[in-house]
Amino acid sequence: MSEPVSALQGKSHQGFVTVAEAGPTGMITIRGDLAGKPLARALKAQGLPVPEARRIEQVAGRSIAWMNPDELLLICAHDAAPDLTATLAQALAGEHALVANVSDARALFTIRGGKADQVVMKLSPADIASLPMGEIRRTRIAQVAGSFWRSGPEEITLISFRSVAGYVMGLLEVSARPGSELF
Amino acid sequence: MLSLTCPCCGITAEETEFAPGGEAHLKRFGPGSSDEAFEGYLFARKNPKGVHFERWRHAYGCGKWFLAARCTATLEVFGTYPAQTTQPPAELIAKIKAKRPEWEGWA
Ligand SMILES: [Zn+2]
């Protein structure tokens, strides 16, 4: 097997907080009837809940996020994604549903430090200060689509499309430069 | 600034997170319709200074289409509602009438 290569191969920058590309991460898109029993059963078999609107639930090293009224995103280990995708697709066979491994189509970043919020505040029109723990916010990161959530007390995790990972890292690096803190 | 609340995900966000989709509640006239009806469907649009019903898409958010009623002059948003709606909800019309008694009404 060839080694997985993430968009920026774990590149990081140290500013007033640390911004880093997280390296290979498993991401699975699940589309279908979120209120339906088949989806709930398929996820329950994996120990996962169907998150409420805009929520992201973390269970045993994996996360599952509500992306829109008919879409979820499951985040797991990169090497676990192919099997998990196949298992879920099998469980939902016959349903009007789609399970796709999008691990290599996305990039995942972490912003770590006491002022992590400020890095994102400069880049997004979303109200970061009022973003509660456990909620995922899909919005705009400067000129591209991105999603982020509070993955720890002083940490924000952010997802973008892989094709714009270099642009997003540039934004994060500039936004985190020492001396550019907002408050 | 224009802020909209997306009825699909419940997020209230400012304009740049959305993409406008023009006038709402257009009736399609396709093959078999008269030239006048087809021309109207393609080109004739309301352009009011005041209450307007519009399509919007939460482009950078949940990605879904929805409908909104707003004032084109003040940017006041009277309400947003699902795209699967063929005419503005009665409560919304009543709400706009109460706020804008001079409004000529929908349709
Ligand atoms: Zn939305």
Side-chain angles (χ1 to χ4, degrees):
Chain A
M1 276 289 281
S2 50
E3 291 300 312
V5 177
S6 70
L8 304 175
Q9 297 170 54
K11 192 172 168 183
S12 73
H13 289 284
Q14 181 67 51
F16 63 80
V17 296
T18 307
V19 296
E21 195 250 8
T25 307
M27 288 179 246
I28 301 167
T29 282
I30 302 160
R31 300 201 70 165
D33 177 7
L34 302 192
K37 286 209 169 77
L39 181 61
R41 263 199 302 268
L43 289 173
K44 200 176 176 192
Q46 303 301 321
L48 294 164
V50 178
E52 297 290 311
R54 303 201 305 275
R55 300 293 297 174
I56 177 162
E57 307 289 347
Q58 303 189 35
V59 184
R62 294 180 297 185
S63 301
I64 186 156
W66 186 95
M67 300 302 271
N68 75 34
D70 53 37
E71 181 179 341
L72 302 176
L73 181 69
L74 173 54
I75 301 164
C76 60
H78 189 274
D79 59 2
D83 286 350
L84 195 47
T85 305
T87 307
L88 288 171
Q90 183 65 41
L92 291 168
E95 297 299 319
H96 184 61
L98 171 82
V99 185
N101 182 358
V102 296
S103 306
D104 300 317
R106 307 279 167 86
L108 193 136
F109 301 86
T110 55
I111 303 145
R112 256 189 221 113
K115 293 181 175 177
D117 281 20
Q118 297 185 23
V119 173
V120 187
M121 278 175 184
K122 292 190 221 173
L123 301 172
S124 165
D127 185 4
I128 316 293
S130 71
L131 181 74
M133 197 82 183
E135 179 164 326
I136 183 166
R137 182 69 164 87
R138 297 185 69 185
T139 179
R140 180 169 68 77
I141 311 297
Q143 299 188 36
V144 297
S147 313
F148 50 79
W149 67 96
R150 298 187 186 283
S151 44
E154 294 190 340
E155 183 184 89
I156 290 178
T157 298
L158 186 150
I159 295 177
S160 76
F161 288 110
R162 182 186 182 115
S163 58
V164 294
Y167 172 77
V168 171
M169 186 47 123
L171 294 172
L172 294 174
E173 187 263 312
V174 171
S175 186
R177 276 186 191 166
S180 73
E181 296 93 332
L182 296 172
F183 47 84
Chain B
M1 190 171 82
L2 176 63
S3 290
L4 295 166
T5 301
C6 171
C8 304
C9 69
I11 287 284
T12 299
E14 52 86 59
E15 188 180 347
T16 65
E17 207 171 290
F18 299 90
E23 187 180 324
H25 304 300
L26 293 180
K27 182 170 187 275
R28 182 174 184 270
F29 289 91
S33 57
S34 70
D35 284 355
E36 288 71 30
F38 185 56
E39 184 199 17
Y41 164 63
L42 281 185
F43 301 114
R45 294 292 181 269
K46 293 171 180 160
N47 185 22
K49 182 182 178 185
V51 180
H52 194 218
F53 295 87
E54 300 173 329
R55 303 166 73 226
W56 285 86
R57 191 169 83 89
H58 196 181
Y60 284 107
C62 69
K64 299 295 183 190
W65 284 97
F66 62 93
L67 305 180
R70 70 169 181 119
C71 175
T72 59
T74 65
L75 302 192
E76 178 180 5
V77 177
F78 302 107
T80 55
Y81 50 104
Q84 295 74 20
T85 312
T86 51
Q87 56 182 37
E91 319 89 274
L92 183 59
I93 298 234
K95 187 178 164 191
I96 302 171
K97 276 275 185 208
K99 285 187 165 182
R100 301 285 172 94
E102 76 288 358
W103 176 49
E104 70 277 17
W106 181 71

